[in-house]
Amino acid sequence: MKSIRNVAIIAHVDHGKTTLVDKILHEAKLFRSNQQINELILDNNDLERERGITILSKNVSVTYKDVKINIIDTPGHADFGGEVERVLKMADGVILLVDAFEGPMPQTRFVLSKALSLGLKPIVVVNKVDKENCRPDEVHEAVFDLMFNLEATEEQLEFETLYGSSKNGWMSHDYKQPTDTITPLLDTILEKIPAAPQPEGIPQFQITSLDYSSFVGRIAIGRVYQGSLKEGDFMGLCKSDGTVKKVRIKELHVFEGLGKLRAEEVKAGDICAVTGIEDFEIGDTLTDFENPEEMPRIAIDEPTMNMLFTINNSPFFGKEGKFVTSRHIRDRLFKETEKNLALRVQEGESEDKFIVFGRGILHLAVLIETMRREGYELQVGQPQVIYREIDGQRCEPIEQLVIDLPEEVSGKAIELVSQRKGEMKVMEPKGDMVHLEFEIPSRGLIGLRNNVLTATGGEAVMNHRFKSYEPYKGEIPERSSGSIISMEQGPCTAYALDKLQDRGIFFVEPGDVLYNGQVIGEHSKGSDIVVNVQKGKKLTNVRAAGSDKEAKLAPKKVFSLEEALEYIQKDEYVEITPQTIRLRKIILDENQRKRAAAKI
């Protein structure tokens, strides 16, 4: 029986985690010498590649010196925190990867605290030591301080540190002496990470994540903690309500390289995928049906935000998308809940409306972006935070917000966060930057990133993570500017836009085809304004001096999907089609809007 090491990789977004896994796979000679492969092998979803973030945790395994190493890639972004905790349950040790310039970041802290509390042994890798201005020694100190503050044990504090550059494919115990290989890291894993225990006894397999295949349905992924699983065996599935259901294992697969390998039997200590079980949840235990031994359940993060999803009913519906009906959207959303665990879907007041609950705007934006790429058309409303009643008090989600920015613009950022009920907890220098930490209500974060980046000339780096539910902090002022709304349907003209430039910033340019009720700009005053941008210049046969000057237009403001979701007001929707993102009023007709406003 091969010895097994189960190791999870923890890192902040963009510190080089997925690149490091690439290099380990190369080192283990998983690919033929003539095989063409891409970079970032694990980020196999287009969105992950574009955004440069890992969204879903994944498993790969390599064999090194006859030891099987299961590598578990974890998401670094707090909106996907639900993934992280469960994944760490499968590991016996963690590799903490930190950037040699940036040092440990807030999300690193979040995942590391979970790993330390589970008693996992860390190995620290200080990555990107080939970058200019890097400070490996200071970063090493910062990691030690962080672990100390997170109440790591004596044993955990005696961690091994390696330095290197994943991109250039080397690791070393001393950054002043680069090597040309990544093997020092693999040797350290074998030496420092304990081998997975392989106890005999009644089988115990806990489901920590799941996959979905259109051929076999839902696939349970987890670790065998005790005994062994065999193909074709009848087992007991311990459910959350205390019942034990009889199920049969159809197929077993272990992770081998980047793929899966069919196995007749999987012994304790290994990670595997089980097909053939129906109706299971995360945290369920697969064990003996006659003498069930259930494992402690895993808690899953509750959603903190919800958003209304509805069909696209704008005048331009169905022009670009393949899937436009409520049945299409319903099926797609419920299919997503089978593998996206922090997501919940609830039917709305009418059959074409759905309330979707998620962990944050990024979590929901990734789902919307995936749907539009698949050919869906839909509209979504303003994100709303979820309030809870705790001990008779109305409570709301509070986030920990960290901003790193140049000192000369820090005052503006502090002012913007304070206006949104943010409380400053830490302010300290970090190299030539200032490091600020706040506690702020989740609803205060909606639209904040845009404002802070504008006020600081794009130099602020912002990160936030969910902290806890705390008593309601009071009203937060809404967006101070109103909307500019199109009065007619048809293409807008440069002449009309030129005449209206002093009214605000526009999101459209000449030639864009608009409809009545579409939000086409931001009004410089607090009220909404309806304008006609379709009218052209009246032509006469009399030439007047100066009347033919060319229109000089400011470039239009372009929104990303997250920015659009953060920007809209309560009475607006974001219309999303495979090719366009438009903002619009929920009630398109101006007179009906006025009547509705009068009733409120």
Side-chain angles (χ1 to χ4, degrees), residues 496-565:
L497 284 177
D498 186 37
K499 294 279 180 265
L500 291 163
Q501 279 203 94
D502 57 342
R503 294 302 180 94
I505 304 163
F506 282 92
F507 313 149
V508 293
E509 58 192 4
D512 286 355
V513 182
L514 314 173
Y515 55 78
N516 174 15
Q518 186 175 335
V519 175
I520 57 170
E522 182 177 322
H523 191 201
S524 47
K525 295 186 179 156
S527 56
D528 287 354
I529 174 178
V530 182
V531 297
N532 182 345
V533 285
Q534 281 82 5
K535 71 176 180 214
K537 185 181 172 197
K538 295 283 180 286
L539 298 177
T540 68
N541 57 359
V542 178
R543 282 272 187 250
S547 64
D548 283 345
K549 70 175 177 45
E550 281 185 18
K552 288 189 172 60
L553 298 176
K556 69 173 182 179
K557 181 174 182 179
V558 180
F559 284 107
S560 71
L561 179 56
E562 276 117 290
E563 287 167 349
L565 297 175

Side-chain angles (χ1 to χ4, degrees), residues 165-378:
S165 163
S166 309
K167 196 174 173 190
N168 298 327
W170 66 269
M171 286 287 152
S172 163
H173 289 278
D174 181 356
Y175 64 89
K176 295 180 182 123
Q177 296 176 343
T179 59
D180 56 359
T181 171
I182 209 154
T183 47
L185 173 61
L186 295 171
D187 290 329
T188 309
I189 291 174
L190 299 196
E191 193 185 321
K192 297 290 178 188
I193 304 267
Q198 300 174 337
E200 296 294 323
I202 288 174
Q204 281 184 322
F205 166 86
Q206 187 160 38
I207 302 169
T208 41
S209 59
L210 48 92
D211 203 352
Y212 184 81
S213 147
S214 45
F215 298 107
V216 294
R218 295 168 83 200
I219 302 167
I221 296 173
R223 174 172 164 177
V224 184
Y225 288 91
Q226 190 173 289
S228 61
L229 301 185
K230 293 192 181 80
E231 270 192 6
D233 275 7
F234 284 96
M235 309 285 287
L237 183 69
C238 301
K239 310 280 294 165
S240 53
D241 56 8
T243 57
V244 180
K245 185 179 156 201
K246 194 167 189 178
V247 293
R248 181 173 172 270
I249 297 174
K250 209 180 209 166
E251 286 182 13
L252 284 172
H253 292 92
V254 291
F255 293 91
E256 190 66 49
L258 282 168
K260 295 193 191 103
L261 201 66
R262 183 95 177 255
E264 287 182 9
E265 182 179 14
V266 179
K267 291 200 159 66
D270 211 347
I271 293 170
C272 67
V274 181
T275 60
I277 316 172
E278 286 302 314
D279 189 33
F280 62 82
E281 291 169 11
I282 293 301
D284 288 357
T285 307
L286 203 56
T287 180
D288 189 60
F289 181 65
E290 304 298 332
N291 310 302
E293 282 188 14
E294 190 176 1
M295 295 189 64
R297 295 197 72 77
I298 305 169
I300 294 178
D301 289 348
E302 289 297 311
T304 56
M305 208 163 264
N306 67 15
M307 214 185 267
L308 174 75
F309 280 49
T310 180
I311 57 169
N312 183 11
N313 59 3
S314 83
F316 294 168
F317 82 96
K319 288 191 174 181
E320 295 171 6
K322 283 190 293 193
F323 309 111
V324 295
T325 65
S326 59
R327 181 178 61 83
H328 285 135
I329 293 172
R330 169 206 297 272
D331 292 350
R332 179 66 183 81
L333 289 174
F334 281 106
K335 184 179 160 201
E336 185 68 24
T337 56
E338 299 208 316
K339 58 178 190 290
N340 191 335
L341 296 160
L343 200 78
R344 311 247 192 296
V345 179
Q346 197 177 307
E347 309 255 343
E349 63 222 24
S350 59
E351 60 273 15
D352 58 359
K353 290 195 166 92
F354 306 93
I355 312 282
V356 180
F357 298 82
R359 291 277 306 134
I361 287 186
L362 178 66
H363 184 203
L364 293 166
V366 165
L367 166 64
I368 296 166
E369 183 65 43
T370 311
M371 286 174 70
R372 72 181 277 222
R373 289 176 185 218
E374 290 169 3
Y376 286 84
E377 275 193 22
L378 65 153

Side-chain angles (χ1 to χ4, degrees), residues 4-220:
I4 297 172
R5 304 283 189 281
N6 295 316
V7 57
I9 296 195
I10 298 175
H12 183 72
V13 180
D14 203 28
H15 277 198
K17 177 177 45 171
T18 309
T19 311
L20 177 65
V21 176
D22 287 1
K23 292 295 186 272
I24 292 174
L25 294 172
H26 282 285
E27 187 62 44
K29 312 248 180 319
L30 268 185
F31 306 106
R32 299 189 308 275
S33 55
N34 62 349
Q35 191 173 346
Q36 282 293 310
I37 48 162
N38 296 325
E39 299 262 298
L40 304 179
I41 306 158
L42 283 189
D43 284 352
N44 49 9
N45 136 351
D46 288 346
L47 259 179
E48 293 185 310
R49 286 176 175 278
E50 277 167 38
R51 289 169 183 257
I53 62 172
T54 299
I55 295 170
L56 305 164
S57 55
K58 308 174 189 68
N59 301 42
V60 293
S61 89
V62 296
T63 300
Y64 177 71
K65 292 187 176 171
D66 210 32
V67 175
K68 181 176 182 181
I69 303 174
N70 281 318
I71 298 165
I72 307 155
D73 188 19
T74 63
H77 206 286
D79 275 15
F80 306 103
E83 287 272 323
V84 172
E85 282 181 67
R86 300 192 313 276
V87 164
L88 290 175
K89 281 277 207 199
M90 296 196 281
D92 295 305
V94 291
I95 295 175
L96 172 65
L97 190 68
V98 288
D99 186 300
F101 170 68
E102 292 184 347
M105 300 286 274
Q107 261 103 321
T108 322
R109 181 189 188 106
F110 163 70
V111 188
L112 183 61
S113 66
K114 302 279 183 207
L116 293 175
S117 62
L118 288 168
L120 301 179
K121 180 85 200 239
I123 294 174
V124 175
V125 175
V126 179
N127 194 21
K128 304 189 184 181
V129 295
D130 53 334
K131 264 170 63 170
E132 288 176 38
N133 303 329
C134 65
R135 40 194 193 102
D137 293 329
E138 285 176 48
V139 166
H140 180 257
E141 287 297 311
V143 171
F144 184 87
D145 292 345
L146 174 61
M147 289 209 195
F148 185 76
N149 293 338
L150 293 174
E151 298 174 358
T153 61
E154 291 282 327
E155 194 190 354
Q156 286 171 329
L157 285 173
E158 289 173 10
F159 54 82
E160 190 79 26
T161 306
L162 288 106
Y163 301 89
S165 163
S166 309
K167 196 174 173 190
N168 298 327
W170 66 269
M171 286 287 152
S172 163
H173 289 278
D174 181 356
Y175 64 89
K176 295 180 182 123
Q177 296 176 343
T179 59
D180 56 359
T181 171
I182 209 154
T183 47
L185 173 61
L186 295 171
D187 290 329
T188 309
I189 291 174
L190 299 196
E191 193 185 321
K192 297 290 178 188
I193 304 267
Q198 300 174 337
E200 296 294 323
I202 288 174
Q204 281 184 322
F205 166 86
Q206 187 160 38
I207 302 169
T208 41
S209 59
L210 48 92
D211 203 352
Y212 184 81
S213 147
S214 45
F215 298 107
V216 294
R218 295 168 83 200
I219 302 167

Side-chain angles (χ1 to χ4, degrees), residues 428-483:
E428 59 191 18
K430 183 178 181 183
D432 53 353
M433 308 279 269
V434 175
H435 175 80
L436 305 171
E437 287 187 23
F438 301 89
E439 284 180 10
I440 182 171
S442 291
R443 59 202 166 98
L445 288 170
I446 298 174
L448 179 67
R449 182 180 298 271
N450 263 347
N451 297 350
V452 170
L453 289 177
T454 308
T456 60
E459 293 200 62
V461 178
M462 291 174 63
N463 289 290
H464 59 88
R465 66 180 183 84
F466 174 70
K467 180 177 170 273
S468 60
Y469 269 85
E470 289 179 18
Y472 182 67
K473 301 279 191 228
E475 285 300 312
I476 292 178
E478 295 268 317
R479 189 178 86 204
S480 57
S481 51
S483 300

